[in-house]
Amino acid sequence: MFHILILIVMLEISKSILVRYSFNKDLFSSELKKLVLLMGSNPDESRNLHEWCRDSYGKKYGKEIRHAFKNHI
């Protein structure tokens, strides 16, 4: 249970980081790649992050999102 709670908190922190860096494609892409690696150990949270990214930034950074998640979902 504690492990799941930590992953949920990590996901929320990840989202806030991406929101802060969303003004710049290179920063967004770099941070997203780091976060994907961190979430890689948990497929459910990785999928949740992917869905959020796609829904929130898919039109702006669709190519970068697909590239970051290419081998992780």
Side-chain angles (χ1 to χ4, degrees):
M1 176 70 173
F2 184 70
H3 181 68
I4 293 172
L5 190 58
I6 289 174
L7 288 173
I8 292 170
V9 170
M10 281 180 51
L11 180 61
E12 293 307 312
I13 291 170
S14 299
K15 290 177 184 178
S16 70
I17 290 169
L18 291 173
V19 167
R20 276 187 257 151
Y21 290 126
S22 65
F23 70 93
N24 181 285
K25 179 181 78 166
D26 294 330
L27 289 173
F28 181 88
S29 181
S30 175
E31 289 303 313
L32 179 57
K33 288 175 186 176
K34 292 177 198 175
L35 295 170
V36 168
L37 288 175
L38 284 173
M39 293 288 180
S41 62
N42 188 298
D44 290 335
E45 293 307 314
S46 185
R47 231 179 337 274
N48 287 339
L49 179 61
H50 178 258
E51 288 175 11
W52 179 83
C53 287
R54 191 184 61 224
D55 293 346
S56 300
Y57 296 103
K59 290 182 181 178
K60 188 173 184 180
Y61 297 129
K63 179 180 173 185
E64 289 76 13
I65 293 167
R66 284 188 300 279
H67 181 58
F69 284 96
K70 182 171 59 173
N71 297 320
H72 294 280
I73 54 167

